């Protein structure tokens, strides 16, 4: 069931014309930047988009401009887990990595003090209004999230068409507190289950 939902949403999302995705992404970014949890955060974990995803690079660039400590994930092929790195310049510290996803270069400083994270922006394929998240199926974030502080606010950015009524959830799945679309900011309620 997850794979069918994943395929349906990715196909529809990728059919959005690139100019429209740019406009939608700008609207989402403006809402993300307005979130009090983001504005109050000193250290943020984000990601860089690929394919038809929300264009997160603009948000990452603004977080750097806002003086935040910006952390981005890098796929560790050996462990099949995400390694976290601090970045200060997207032009010189980012290159295509596994699956051609932009990620920090291996020589970027490792970020091991995860207890200082304040805000986490998560990628995903589909989301519900109560904070359930469907990823790409690799389990990378499922492995990472339990090691991050519960106090760090978890948010997701998605096009409105990625919001679905329900998603199958495992006991270990972690929900997001905020879901931001081009039309609204959704407070997902008690996301800890």
């Amino acid at each position: 069931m997850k794979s069918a939902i994943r395929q349906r949403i990715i196909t529809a999302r990728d059919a959005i014309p690139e100019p429209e995705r740019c406009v939608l992404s700008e609207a989402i970014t403006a809402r993300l930047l307005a979130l009090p949890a983001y504005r109050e955060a000193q250290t943020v974990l984000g990601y860089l988009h690929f394919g038809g995803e929300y264009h997160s690079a603009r948000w990452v660039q603004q977080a750097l401009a806002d003086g935040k400590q910006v952390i981005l994930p890098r796929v560790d092929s050996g462990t099949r887990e995400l390694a976290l790195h601090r970045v200060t310049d997207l032009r010189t510290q980012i290159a295509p990595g596994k699956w051609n996803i932009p990620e920090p270069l291996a020589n970027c400083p490792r970020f091991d003090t995860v207890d200082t994270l304040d805000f986490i922006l998560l990628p995903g394929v589909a989301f519900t209004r109560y904070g359930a998240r469907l990823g790409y199926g690799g389990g990378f974030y499922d492995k990472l999230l339990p090691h991050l502080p519960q106090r760090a606010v978890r948010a997701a950015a998605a096009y409105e068409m990625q919001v679905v009524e329900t998603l199958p959830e495992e006991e270990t799945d972690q929900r997001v507190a905020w879901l931001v679309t081009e039309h609204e900011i959704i407070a997902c309620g008690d996301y800890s289950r």
Side-chain angles (χ1 to χ4, degrees):
M1 181 166 182
K2 283 185 179 182
S3 60
I5 296 169
R6 194 176 284 122
Q7 190 54 51
R8 178 175 56 82
I9 297 292
I10 290 174
T11 299
R13 185 191 69 191
D14 290 353
I16 299 171
E18 182 61 23
E20 185 179 343
R21 275 201 298 263
C22 289
V23 170
L24 299 177
S25 292
E26 281 299 315
I28 292 168
T29 298
R31 284 185 167 77
L32 274 173
L33 296 173
L35 277 175
Y38 165 78
R39 289 199 319 269
E40 295 164 10
Q42 294 180 15
T43 303
V44 300
L45 169 62
Y47 66 94
L48 293 172
H49 68 277
F50 77 103
E53 285 185 317
Y54 154 70
H55 293 188
S56 58
R58 169 78 175 80
W59 177 82
V60 172
Q61 196 70 275
Q62 188 59 51
L64 288 168
D66 289 343
K68 301 193 186 294
Q69 181 171 234
V70 175
I71 312 304
L72 296 175
R74 183 174 194 282
V75 174
D76 183 324
S77 297
T79 63
R80 291 198 43 81
E81 293 183 356
L82 294 176
L84 302 181
H85 295 264
R86 181 172 183 201
V87 297
T88 55
D89 187 340
L90 296 184
R91 291 183 316 270
T92 62
Q93 295 180 312
I94 302 298
K98 194 158 178 76
W99 302 295
N100 218 24
I101 299 171
E103 62 182 24
L105 299 172
N107 64 357
C108 287
R110 283 290 297 257
F111 180 75
D112 295 318
T113 54
V114 295
D115 56 317
T116 63
L117 279 173
D118 301 309
F119 186 89
I120 301 167
L121 181 64
L122 293 168
V125 174
F127 304 89
T128 66
R129 296 181 73 81
Y130 57 86
R133 172 187 163 271
L134 178 67
Y136 288 89
F140 289 97
Y141 281 91
D142 293 334
K143 292 177 193 170
L144 175 66
L145 287 172
H147 301 288
L148 303 182
Q150 270 307 116
R151 68 167 193 77
V153 175
R154 288 156 169 79
Y159 308 124
E160 190 75 31
M161 54 77 52
Q162 292 176 264
V163 181
V164 298
E165 194 67 35
T166 62
L167 285 171
E169 288 185 89
E170 313 288 328
E171 190 58 41
T172 55
D173 288 346
Q174 294 196 27
R175 294 180 178 174
V176 297
W178 297 95
L179 177 58
V180 180
T181 74
E182 67 270 24
H183 298 302
E184 62 184 327
I185 296 173
I186 302 165
C188 299
D190 178 15
Y191 64 100
S192 60
R193 292 202 310 163

